[in-house]
């Protein structure tokens, strides 16, 4: 596909940022309790079957749509483009890729105008839009923000069977890789790609796909993340904490993973770094480095590797999964056949202790 | 023993606080790298075979003694008493309990004066002292304190076979229980007891004993604890992180558990609460409450339950262990035979989800 | 008076801690908006003319009483004593000092039992009690605590004309000095005294008295204090911020001073240090040290020095003021006749700059 | 100039971000103690008369050059451009504006390649470069970062006599306004403009100019800023704190202003918001709003308004100042002729209190 993109693809739309996600939930009232009452997202509008939510620093209509439906799934991943003409470019770009493309001048979602939706080459339902209704930016509303204010939608993370193919397509769409996880044999287990100058707008995680691994909202400081954990404990909802809190190796961000009542995963994320220079160095992590996923070496729980949300096609049907054939990250890093080290074998690490197979001694 | 203490025991010494711990380490240079270079404790004095360390807010000579020896073990747990006469009371009190008692007017440890050491009824080597050399209190030395300043010795945690017996003895010695963990059958799994008005100077954990489970140092704020994790990652020593960081249910404190090169466990601890009123309410936790040990419901790693440091008698020999016969906390809470809930069965918890057996789904 | 206390005073009551303050406010609804809606104190009970409030970690009935009345003033400063018999000791102690003493077996305040109230030698209305109604300790209620939880009543600060006399009396009552501010001529400008093992339960500030300078509530971490400032800005009530936030030199605590609608001053305070050892070193600060009141050298606003709340006698009348005759701290440290240095003249401070008369260059 | 830019200006270079500042200091050893030993910037290279420093997340050679010289001044403000061809565009753009332009294929500063320097229409010495030597990005080096890590160069702030003219020129150069301060008569007192999607790369402050008001470095979290204050106190260098810490109204960022030994001002800055959308709403603040400069309403010290660093022309001579003729922000907001309010007169603010002239009551 790299050759194809070099030779025949029309210019891609200029994507500004990952801007919204639409999730189908099976119990809207339960979802509202989680996303609004517990996490504190701001309701822009709501009706009997759909709720539009935004973060505290957002000024466009929404960053999350919760829509009640029969099967929990991701219905759209939305990117904002720089100008209206980028929607024409999007139509042409995805048509050239042979994708199913739909366009609605009045938008698919309330609050967004002229919109293109596509089934992208990886099988995900992408939405591209420029026009959006402006709403109050509540950045200064400290009286409303609570102890763990979600201030921006930061990124999505998608499960795909073959990461390099996904990367090639996303680079053609204008994304740039900032970090990835590989092994000595050249297998890529995950990659992080960005349009806005942070570590990512989208990450690709190797696995059976297409599935949505998680959507991530940014909070301002790391103590906001731990305050959310305290709050979940007080609400006796700590069982929605799946993994963390912790510090990522990849991205250097502070993180926490939760599961909503339907199992949709949400990351609370803060403090990654500037990647906006054209020659921003790519960071490649060894899949056996036990600090790549958690800088503190804490184990990744198996469900984090194995579970993810189905995605819908443009007709609203669940996309069938394609199996990953390459090695799986969980398999090569945990247990009898896998391994992880704290200090690289033969490396220059600390003198007190060998390679530090912490994970193996714990699980 | 409760009757004994009521009837015949002489008045106990007035203990002010848990003040120091002496650890035998097998490689003093490696221990120094951990406790000084990594954790940042302040060296008051050191020689070829012993190092005296203190915290940043301390004004007496030391809070930790590292002494090189053949077997990693705890050699002394030191309490400061209110006045010199309390040492006479200590001698009489422990003699009445039939304990082995030694007294040295010049002290056992450098920097401490007249001292009583005993093998207490639980088998631990206790040290009681009043006179201590004053050193500079570095509370304001922010230029030296680093990102995770350890500012006080907070408590020790001891493994004993039968918690109620230990509690009775410690109450006779003037301690008061602040919290404990029980089950519906009346088994006590752990208890927290205090002299200073915090949650504890000493905790008793049920298990084969006597062993020292951990020594805990306080830092000021919870972000100092996560900063230490970040630092351990940067030093490629994250494998010394055994459990956490997290928020305790018991004590409400923020915590992290590390292991030193000899396996001695140290807790980094902050933000518990005032317990100094005479009628301070005791908090009893259900052993099946999954938030009792970690308010966020994260699993306790097995090694935290099973491993602890041997202790020495006054002759320097390792004390043999007495087996616990009651149910073990790990056994009743994890896996096939055990269970933990996020919300009490039949309780008034959140509507979205049943009891929340998070632990069972993870391990 | 020092001789008197040494010779004839009966034993003082055993005071556990500063536990509550009663403030007369002129507009109870406005006061409620400030103390409950803005600061987030918990309402234990309220009626048309009085509100009883407590902090999140408190388990006795209240830490603050707001009572509507014609003149804004402090009506009682309450200490909890260790046992009921301490009330008898209190009666005898204050009677021996020639103070007016009243006792009510049913208490003066709702929720507190048998109580002694006195007009103390400094002219303040003290209240001593032991029995108190227990209420829910909301230490773990993170879902209710907001971004700046006030978790304990920490201390009161009183304005008195002659600090050494006040110190002598309070030492007879069992308090111990932890820090003070003096000059080279031996004038004492302020002193901090404690019963509980923190820097203080009560501070004495030199000035026309008796007046209540402020009551201080503790929050857990310093970012809670700045979060409160952010919240006050969002509520457009930043004009209630009088001084700070900052780090104190004295006490090493992080602080913020607010004024309530009647001008009563409240400090938000966190992170001082352990003082419970019998030989805890006293820290004496030079009045000209510009970091004594604010470790960052930021100026103290004049109103902080000059304004304070009147206090009532046991009949409810405002106590007349006695003029301070010694030098005033504001006068000797600010402006044409006063001076402050960042580095002691002739001292060993940093080479880059002289004494650093920051204050003089700013105001 | 607005018409000129619309009609005849060639396309501007594509500026990525504000990347470096070169300061002339009169005592390089003293400057090194401040910027390296106190603030902790990383030395990339140094010689007898020049030091190149970078932040912890930087990967290009430097963000700050300190060069010893006879007069303290700003010698260059450096922007990175997207591609080499942007340097040709820069030459043409500034030539068309009639500016003095110099180009050196080997760069003016060590570590930067082909570079254009200009005397811009506002009188500032701008530097534009693309090629830069890569150095180690120390984002993960938590063992080296200290308690207040400066992680990015965020922006510069420039003093100019007439803000609207400066804004017009910078908009022609591709910058976009994010916030400004105006009064009801249409006078603009300051404006914030950005290339990267934060609140600014450059701010314009009304006053006699051209002068450099300050350079700002970002730290990650607000507690890092207060930790720096604590450290300055411990080093007895608190007199270098000019203003803050505080929360800005404009930008919503947490801030602190320091002065280096030569009086160059540096801001420590964190937590502003995303501005990268093409229709990002501009925030206009009323100059009389007392929360515009400090959200907590704390007063701006006069020196912050009146003092700034001279700038050099391309020959190394100090640029003469042009006097501002419009109203000055300090004059209209402080003291007898000026005013500031906490709540807008006649507005919907809190009921407890009038307009809240806090500033007037303090100074």
């Amino acid at each position: 596909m790299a050759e194809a993109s070099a030779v025949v693809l029309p210019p891609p739309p200029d994507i500004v940022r990952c801007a919204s996600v639409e999730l189908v939930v099976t119990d809207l009232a339960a979802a509202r309790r989680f996303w609004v009452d517990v996490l504190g997202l701001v309701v822009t509008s709501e009706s009997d079957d759909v709720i539009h939510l935004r973060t505290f620093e957002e000024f466009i209509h929404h960053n999350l749509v919760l829509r009640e439906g029969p099967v929990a799934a991701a219905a759209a991943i939305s990117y904002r483009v720089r100008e209206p003409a980028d929607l024409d470019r999007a139509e042409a770009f995805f048509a050239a890729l042979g994708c199913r493309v739909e366009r609605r001048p009045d938008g698919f979602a309330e609050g967004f105008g002229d919109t293109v939706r596509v089934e992208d080459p990886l099988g995900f339902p992408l939405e591209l839009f420029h026009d959006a209704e402006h709403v109050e930016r509540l950045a200064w509303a400290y009286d409303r923000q609570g102890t763990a204010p979600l201030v921006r939608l930061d990124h999505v993370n998608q499960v795909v069977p073959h990461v390099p193919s996904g990367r090639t397509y996303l680079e053609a769409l204008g994304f740039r890789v900032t970090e990835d996880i590989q092994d000595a044999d050249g297998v890529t287990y995950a990659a992080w790609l960005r349009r806005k100058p942070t570590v990512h707008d989208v990450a690709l995680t190797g696995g059976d796909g297409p599935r949505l691994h998680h959507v991530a909202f940014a909070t301002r400081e790391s103590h906001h993340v731990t305050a959310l954990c305290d709050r979940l404990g007080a609400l006796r909802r700590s069982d929605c904490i799946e993994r963390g809190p912790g510090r990522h190796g990849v991205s250097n961000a502070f993180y926490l993973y939760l599961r909503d009542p339907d199992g949709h995963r949400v990351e609370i994320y803060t403090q990654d770094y500037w990647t906006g220079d054209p020659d921003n160095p790519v960071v490649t992590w060894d899949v056996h480095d036990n600090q790549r996923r958690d800088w503190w070496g804490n184990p990744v729980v198996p469900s984090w590797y194995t579970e993810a949300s189905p995605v819908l096609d443009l007709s609203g049907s669940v996309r069938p999964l394609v199996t990953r054939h390459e090695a799986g990250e969980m398999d090569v890093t945990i247990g009898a056949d896998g391994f992880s080290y704290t200090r690289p074998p033969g490396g220059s690490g600390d003198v007190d202790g060998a390679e530090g197979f912490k994970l193996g001694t714990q699980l």
Side-chain angles (χ1 to χ4, degrees), chain A:
Chain A
M1 192 160 68
E3 292 74 20
S5 78
V7 178
V8 305
L9 281 180
D14 183 352
I15 292 175
V16 176
R17 57 164 170 142
C18 178
S20 183
V21 168
E22 179 177 330
L23 297 177
V24 178
V25 298
T26 60
D27 180 341
L28 190 62
R32 193 188 194 284
R33 282 192 293 274
F34 179 80
W35 294 94
V36 178
D37 298 343
V38 176
L39 294 190
L41 286 171
V42 179
V43 177
T44 297
S45 74
E46 57 186 324
S47 65
D48 283 352
D49 61 352
V50 64
I51 308 176
H52 298 83
L53 298 169
R54 72 180 191 274
T55 54
F56 282 101
E57 293 182 2
E58 187 55 79
F59 71 95
I60 64 169
H61 188 267
H62 61 263
N63 304 117
L64 180 67
V65 180
L66 301 174
R67 186 179 304 278
E68 192 162 87
V71 178
I77 296 167
S78 300
Y79 291 96
R80 192 164 200 210
V81 296
R82 190 160 304 278
E83 58 180 15
D86 284 308
L87 297 178
D88 303 328
R89 293 184 193 105
E91 276 192 299
F93 178 86
F94 286 104
L97 284 168
C99 297
R100 177 178 173 189
V101 179
E102 294 193 6
R103 183 165 183 171
R104 288 195 195 167
D106 295 333
F108 292 79
E110 178 189 320
F112 292 171
D114 188 10
T115 299
V116 169
R117 281 195 172 183
V118 306
E119 294 172 6
D120 86 353
L122 304 177
F124 289 90
L126 295 199
E127 175 177 274
L128 299 103
F129 70 99
H130 171 79
D131 291 335
E133 185 181 328
H134 284 211
V135 290
E136 187 182 7
R137 181 174 239 166
L138 294 167
W140 290 262
Y142 291 100
D143 54 326
R144 296 180 54 179
Q145 293 181 6
T147 58
L150 304 185
V151 295
R152 290 183 298 282
L153 173 67
D154 190 82
H155 64 264
V156 295
N157 185 308
Q158 302 176 165
V159 185
V160 297
H162 191 246
V163 174
S165 301
R167 171 181 177 161
T168 300
Y169 145 64
L170 285 170
E171 287 177 337
L173 188 51
F175 289 80
R176 290 294 167 261
V177 170
T178 57
E179 306 202 25
D180 62 10
I181 295 177
Q182 302 188 19
D183 66 18
D185 299 328
V187 175
T188 300
Y189 294 85
W192 284 255
L193 300 103
R194 66 105 186 162
R195 284 292 305 169
K196 65 177 160 56
T198 63
V199 170
H200 54 325
D201 291 273
V202 57
L204 299 179
T205 297
D208 301 345
R211 290 182 295 165
L212 179 68
H213 190 273
H214 65 261
V215 56
F217 290 95
T219 191
R220 291 189 179 108
E221 306 199 340
S222 53
H223 64 81
H224 292 135
V225 178
T226 53
L228 177 57
C229 296
D230 291 338
R231 176 172 162 79
L232 289 166
L235 293 168
R236 286 285 165 181
R237 293 194 68 152
S238 65
D239 54 337
C240 79
I241 298 176
E242 183 187 40
R243 179 185 159 207
R247 167 83 58 195
H248 284 307
V250 174
S251 82
N252 205 20
F254 202 92
Y255 73 87
L256 173 72
Y257 292 98
L258 309 176
R259 303 293 289 271
D260 90 346
D262 278 298
H264 294 306
R265 185 179 289 110
V266 56
E267 181 178 15
I268 315 300
Y269 181 93
T270 191
Q271 304 293 325
D272 61 4
Y273 59 92
W274 167 262
T275 63
D277 278 26
D279 53 349
N280 180 69
V282 175
V283 180
T284 292
W285 297 77
D286 180 353
V287 74
H288 298 294
D289 181 345
N290 193 38
Q291 295 186 181
R292 76 198 180 289
R293 289 283 186 188
D294 185 90
W295 186 244
W296 311 337
N298 280 330
V300 178
V301 295
S303 65
W304 192 90
Y305 281 123
T306 59
E307 300 178 12
S309 296
V311 301
L312 303 184
D313 63 21
L314 293 194
S315 304
S317 300
V318 171
R319 297 282 303 213
L321 297 191
V322 177
T323 303
R324 174 175 173 87
H325 295 296
E326 292 186 298
E329 182 171 343
M330 184 172 75
D331 299 328
V332 301
T333 56
I334 303 179
D337 299 326
F339 69 96
S340 295
Y341 56 80
T342 301
R343 287 168 291 282
S348 58
D350 188 86
V351 298
D352 301 313
E355 298 175 358
F357 293 93
K358 177 182 176 183
L359 204 65
T361 63
Q362 285 194 346
L363 290 185

